Amino acid sequence: MNLHSAASGTEGRDGYLVGRPKAWFAFAMTFALMLFDYIDRQVIVSLFPHMKAAWGLSDMQLGGLVSIISIVVAVGGLPVALLADRCSRVKSIFVMATVWSLATISCMFTRNYSQLFLARALVGAGETGYGSVGGALIASLFPKRLRATLLGAFLAAASIGSVLGVVLGGVIAAHWGWQAAFGVVGIPGLVLAFLYLLVPDYKTVALAPRMDQAKQSVTGFARQIATTLSGSPAVWWTCLGAAFQLIVVSTIWSWLPSYFHRYHGVAADKAAMQAAVIVLCGAAGSFIWGVAADAVAVRRPRNKLVMMATLATATVVVFVAAFGGSMAPNQQFLLIALGGLMMMCSVAPASSVVFNVIHPGVRSTGAAMLSLFQNLFGLAVGPFVGGLVSDAWGLQTALAVMPAFGLLAALCFLRAMRTYESELANFANIRLDVASTAASPVAVSA
């Protein structure tokens, strides 16, 4: 069986799949849901001091409340994204947003660690596949020339949502108690979930030609998808590098409020606001490095991987200097802010690499593979392992040691660089059509 394109069209290459207003509406809605996704996910980190005092939890237990979401997302990401790819991306996102919002609200009614851990796992079940499917939708509705820039903006919503989650958690806990924070941040996602049903989708792209003699078997279909996903060394090395880099990101995001509270004596709500500034730097970095990746790739596509490797290495140096030595608090804060900006160097460019060298018929599924690596080997590792190191040798040591994973990320990006350019031409002629019966199809190159 051979991969083939969707129906060809007459529109110019590298154009919008739908009209600009519809494309930007889709982007705005997808951005907004990602924002509340991470508000719901990260609100808990500013509540760590309150939970530690109320329930006597260890740092490992606290980190587990963050890591469980990433583990569940990693386990369920591929099947959910595959279902979305073959059925409907928009309806899948509606269901996901509804589930994670209701699960977040349920967290306010928990009365012990086990109940809260289960509720957080349900939040992860709702979030499963969202970033992959939402990213694939954006990548397909907009021109390829804007792909890394828009993915950078989309993924910056994760940082902005984390900022808002940390700040809102601290403020709400200070006034109404830490459990109330879950109820306040969970409601808006329900409203956005229903509005998302107005977003345009694109038609499912066939993976194999229609066969007159016999229907494609389930086994053959699964084999076709496995072959499509496994045939790109650039994708695999980029996924692994992105995971290592997110160990750094998740460690910093999860433990900075506790660090400022414990080592600088800052009140819990104020510590959350200070940490939010660093996360906001990450939001800016996510967008900046997406734009930079598009710019450096104009002359030579593999330059974006070189850029990621360079910045990942520089991030290690900055964080080791910030947490490994002694300096004035103001100087340390500025250095941490610089690291917060630089550590997001792989988020958007890594996604664009995967989207560029994966068949559009399994674009959500390919993105889910990236998400699996990012969540299971990245986001899940940082909070939990950082908590283990903190329990053993102190939180400051953990924050100085964990960024070393960035060096492994850099090596993976350099390895992906070897085959990236040769893989770009594989699907250059694949075409997409708008999933709409109200208007005539408009096809563009993937």
Side-chain angles (χ1 to χ4, degrees):
M1 293 177 289
N2 296 320
L3 296 174
H4 79 293
S5 65
S8 60
T10 59
E11 294 295 321
R13 292 173 60 84
D14 211 27
Y16 287 84
L17 182 62
V18 296
R20 291 192 183 204
K22 291 183 178 180
W24 283 107
F25 174 73
F27 174 82
M29 290 300 302
T30 309
F31 180 95
L33 273 180
M34 177 65 95
L35 186 77
F36 280 97
D37 178 356
Y38 272 80
I39 289 175
D40 294 353
R41 180 185 288 211
Q42 292 297 119
V43 67
I44 198 169
V45 301
S46 61
L47 309 178
F48 279 178
H50 301 282
M51 297 168 63
K52 193 176 185 69
W55 290 351
L57 303 179
S58 68
D59 285 350
M60 182 186 69
Q61 288 175 306
L62 293 172
L65 294 172
V66 178
S67 296
I68 185 58
I69 290 183
S70 299
I71 292 172
V72 174
V73 170
V75 171
L78 277 171
V80 169
L82 177 59
L83 180 64
D85 260 334
R86 310 325 299 167
C87 299
S88 169
R89 286 145 292 275
V90 169
K91 291 178 182 178
S92 298
I93 288 175
F94 161 73
V95 172
M96 285 184 266
T98 300
V99 171
W100 89 56
S101 298
L102 290 174
T104 299
I105 295 171
S106 73
C107 290
M108 71 181 296
F109 301 107
T110 59
R111 293 295 178 265
N112 55 54
Y113 180 81
S114 297
Q115 292 176 0
L116 182 57
F117 188 85
L118 177 60
R120 292 287 288 176
L122 291 176
V123 174
E127 294 180 3
T128 298
Y130 175 69
S132 307
V133 179
L137 190 63
I138 291 172
S140 300
L141 296 182
F142 283 86
K144 185 187 295 185
R145 65 180 181 273
L146 299 176
R147 192 163 287 168
T149 298
L150 288 173
L151 288 172
F154 166 58
L155 296 171
S159 298
I160 298 172
S162 297
V163 169
L164 294 175
V166 170
V167 171
L168 288 172
V171 172
I172 295 169
H175 289 83
W176 298 290
W178 62 269
Q179 287 177 306
F182 295 111
V184 173
V185 302
I187 295 174
L190 288 176
V191 177
L192 289 172
F194 284 93
L195 290 176
Y196 203 86
L197 293 173
L198 301 175
V199 169
D201 202 349
Y202 61 89
K203 289 182 180 179
T204 296
V205 182
L207 291 176
R210 290 188 176 92
M211 303 175 67
D212 296 330
Q213 291 80 7
K215 293 182 179 179
Q216 184 181 8
S217 67
V218 174
T219 302
F221 178 68
R223 187 182 301 114
Q224 178 68 52
I225 292 173
T227 301
T228 302
L229 293 178
S230 63
S232 171
V235 166
W236 286 99
W237 285 107
T238 299
C239 288
L240 188 58
F244 285 137
Q245 186 62 19
L246 282 182
I247 293 177
V248 181
V249 174
S250 60
T251 300
I252 299 299
W253 278 10
S254 296
W255 291 110
L256 266 187
S258 296
Y259 175 78
F260 290 137
H261 177 66
R262 297 181 196 177
Y263 286 83
H264 294 306
V266 181
D269 57 334
K270 301 297 182 183
M273 292 184 181
Q274 287 187 8
V277 173
I278 306 302
V279 179
L280 190 60
C281 291
S286 181
F287 178 73
I288 289 170
W289 304 128
V291 174
D294 277 338
V296 301
V298 171
R299 183 177 297 273
R300 191 162 187 183
R302 73 174 189 172
N303 285 346
K304 67 174 63 178
L305 287 157
V306 176
M307 183 195 79
M308 286 191 284
T310 302
L311 289 169
T313 302
T315 300
V316 178
V317 176
V318 169
F319 280 136
V320 169
F323 295 108
S326 59
M327 62 182 67
N330 289 341
Q331 292 178 331
Q332 184 191 43
F333 186 85
L334 291 176
L335 203 56
I336 295 173
L338 176 61
L341 177 74
M342 296 172 62
M343 70 182 179
M344 299 297 287
C345 60
S346 68
V347 176
S351 296
S352 70
V353 168
V354 172
F355 286 135
N356 286 346
V357 294
I358 204 75
H359 188 280
V362 286
R363 188 165 278 163
S364 294
T365 311
M369 186 171 68
L370 171 62
S371 178
L372 185 152
F373 275 79
Q374 289 175 321
N375 282 279
L376 188 60
F377 305 119
L379 295 175
V381 173
F384 184 76
V385 175
L388 284 174
V389 176
S390 175
D391 285 337
W393 295 290
L395 184 54
Q396 184 161 344
T397 299
L399 292 174
V401 169
M402 294 296 288
F405 281 98
L407 297 177
L408 296 177
L411 292 175
C412 291
F413 295 141
L414 292 177
R415 179 61 182 82
M417 180 186 67
R418 297 183 183 179
T419 60
Y420 177 59
E421 290 181 341
S422 64
E423 294 178 29
L424 282 175
N426 289 347
F427 307 119
N429 296 320
I430 302 291
R431 313 283 284 181
L432 297 179
D433 283 325
V434 182
S436 173
T437 57
S440 59
V442 177
V444 297
S445 63

